[in-house]
Amino acid sequence: MNKAEFIKALDIELARFDASEKKEILAYYNELIDEKIERGYSEAQAVASIGKIKDVSAGIKADLVNIRLTKRSSLSKISNSFWMLILVLFASPILLPVGIAFLAIFFSVSVTLLSLVLGFGLGAVVTAVAAIPIVIKAYANLGIGGAILVSGVILVVIAAFALLALVIFRVTIDLLKAIVTGLVKIIKKKSK
Amino acid sequence: MDIQTKKGLLDVVVLSTLIKGDSYGYKIVQEVSRVVDISESTLYPILRRLEAAAALTTYSVEHRGRLRKYYKLTNEGYGKVKLFIEDWDEIKRVYNFIVANARGKWRQ
């Protein structure tokens, strides 16, 4: 296996990883192989010395679980810290108003942004449904060329809606995460 | 060496190699290998963990048309090494305690 093949295979093996973490890992192995080649290894020897890709990724996965790095943890992490926060805030009379304010902010942000997501998502679906008669009409009036042109425009509109929904969804998750972790940090600092 | 013991030691070993100066992945593996058996794939998570714990920071330097990532010890990182050294008396006491208990078994 040469270096490019190794990196490609490792890239695929790490598909579940957070993109920035994956980049770090690939850069690390890329650099290691280059260092070895610089010291007289052949490319194949350098790659072979790293070991099996399965072992490499297994080691990383086993060790990194503690450092908020895998893609999937994002949502469950929010819900974990969310319930911890609720418990802490509502257990203390001093923090109770903070808890109520936090809940209000948390829900207004999630409701506002998620309704936007739903709106754009619905927009995509409605456009798709509404498109059918329009495309049929275009075919009747303008022939196949017109129908293709009109479908193209409609697909762009649907894609735009879907993309907007997706982007806002990600932003919502990140924002909620920031609110929760920010508050956790403040409380930790205060309690020290 | 037992895996758990090794894991605890490796963090300090890695940090200690950075006291005399910043270093990069390949070189750190070479250095550490002189005392403990370690593979490149074992080192990666250690470096990431230590970075997340602010025991070290990283920066990249251009080297022969590519980037080489350097690791730099922070004050926190140095503190961890110092703490380990200061812990030695206690570790020694625990070790002697374990050995004394084991001797009881050997005498039987």
Side-chain angles (χ1 to χ4, degrees):
Chain A
M1 207 191 287
N2 66 24
K3 190 176 87 172
E5 285 163 351
F6 177 86
I7 296 296
K8 181 96 201 275
L10 189 57
D11 192 359
I12 293 167
E13 180 66 25
L14 300 175
R16 290 252 191 94
F17 274 65
D18 173 80
S20 67
E21 185 60 30
K22 192 160 82 173
K23 218 174 112 195
E24 293 266 350
I25 297 170
L26 296 180
Y28 176 82
Y29 283 102
N30 213 358
E31 183 186 315
L32 265 179
I33 294 169
D34 284 339
E35 298 285 352
K36 292 192 177 198
I37 292 171
E38 226 173 272
R39 286 167 175 79
Y41 282 70
S42 74
E43 195 171 328
Q45 282 171 336
V47 170
S49 74
I50 305 286
K52 284 197 198 121
I53 288 192
K54 285 264 179 216
D55 296 340
V56 168
S57 71
I60 295 171
K61 280 172 192 163
D63 245 295
L64 288 186
V65 273
N66 296 325
I67 329 180
R68 76 200 147 75
L69 296 168
T70 43
K71 220 192 229 168
R72 301 212 147 181
S73 64
S74 176
L75 261 177
S76 66
K77 217 150 189 166
I78 301 184
S79 82
N80 274 348
S81 352
F82 177 81
W83 291 116
M84 279 298 287
L85 252 185
I86 296 292
L87 273 179
V88 170
L89 292 177
F90 284 83
S92 131
I94 306 163
L95 288 175
L96 191 64
V98 181
I100 293 167
F102 163 70
L103 269 187
I105 293 172
F106 191 88
F107 281 113
S108 56
V109 168
S110 25
V111 167
T112 313
L113 291 176
L114 289 179
S115 60
L116 274 177
V117 172
L118 201 70
F120 284 118
L122 272 177
V125 174
V126 169
T127 312
V129 173
I132 297 166
I134 297 175
V135 172
I136 293 172
K137 217 173 185 181
Y139 180 68
N141 294 339
L142 304 166
I144 186 77
I148 292 174
L149 189 73
V150 170
S151 327
V153 172
I154 291 167
L155 279 179
V156 170
V157 173
I158 294 174
F161 271 132
L163 196 69
L164 266 172
L166 214 72
V167 168
I168 296 174
F169 182 71
R170 288 232 53 150
V171 170
T172 311
I173 299 291
D174 286 345
L175 196 62
L176 293 180
K177 203 154 73 181
I179 294 174
V180 171
T181 50
L183 203 55
V184 168
K185 244 182 222 161
I186 292 170
I187 290 176
K188 269 189 188 155
K189 218 179 242 171
K190 284 268 155 68
S191 65
K192 252 179 204 167
Chain B
M1 203 187 291
D2 171 70
I3 292 172
Q4 288 306 319
T5 315
K6 192 168 157 183
K7 218 172 163 184
L9 280 175
L10 271 177
D11 284 16
V12 186
V13 175
V14 168
L15 289 175
S16 74
T17 63
L18 298 176
I19 293 177
K20 61 176 179 292
D22 305 351
S23 188
Y24 51 92
Y26 179 83
K27 208 170 139 202
I28 297 174
V29 175
Q30 296 298 307
E31 288 260 328
V32 173
S33 298
R34 287 166 46 195
V35 278
V36 217
D37 195 29
I38 188 179
S39 74
E40 290 97 355
S41 302
T42 321
L43 180 68
Y44 179 81
I46 295 173
L47 290 172
R48 287 294 286 155
R49 188 151 21 91
L50 291 172
E51 191 185 354
L56 49 83
T57 55
T58 65
Y59 61 93
S60 290
V61 171
E62 177 148 0
H63 170 82
R64 298 199 189 184
R66 62 182 172 85
L67 287 179
R68 188 186 251 171
K69 191 170 180 180
Y70 276 85
Y71 298 86
K72 183 184 177 62
L73 191 70
T74 63
N75 282 334
E76 276 96 341
Y78 181 65
K80 277 180 196 279
V81 178
K82 240 175 89 187
L83 192 70
F84 177 82
I85 294 170
E86 287 161 6
D87 275 349
W88 180 243
D89 284 337
E90 200 181 335
I91 296 171
K92 215 155 57 184
R93 253 201 333 273
V94 173
Y95 174 82
N96 288 335
F97 176 81
I98 296 170
V99 170
N101 284 337
R103 278 208 185 109
K105 164 90 176 156
W106 296 337
R107 270 194 219 105
Q108 285 170 10

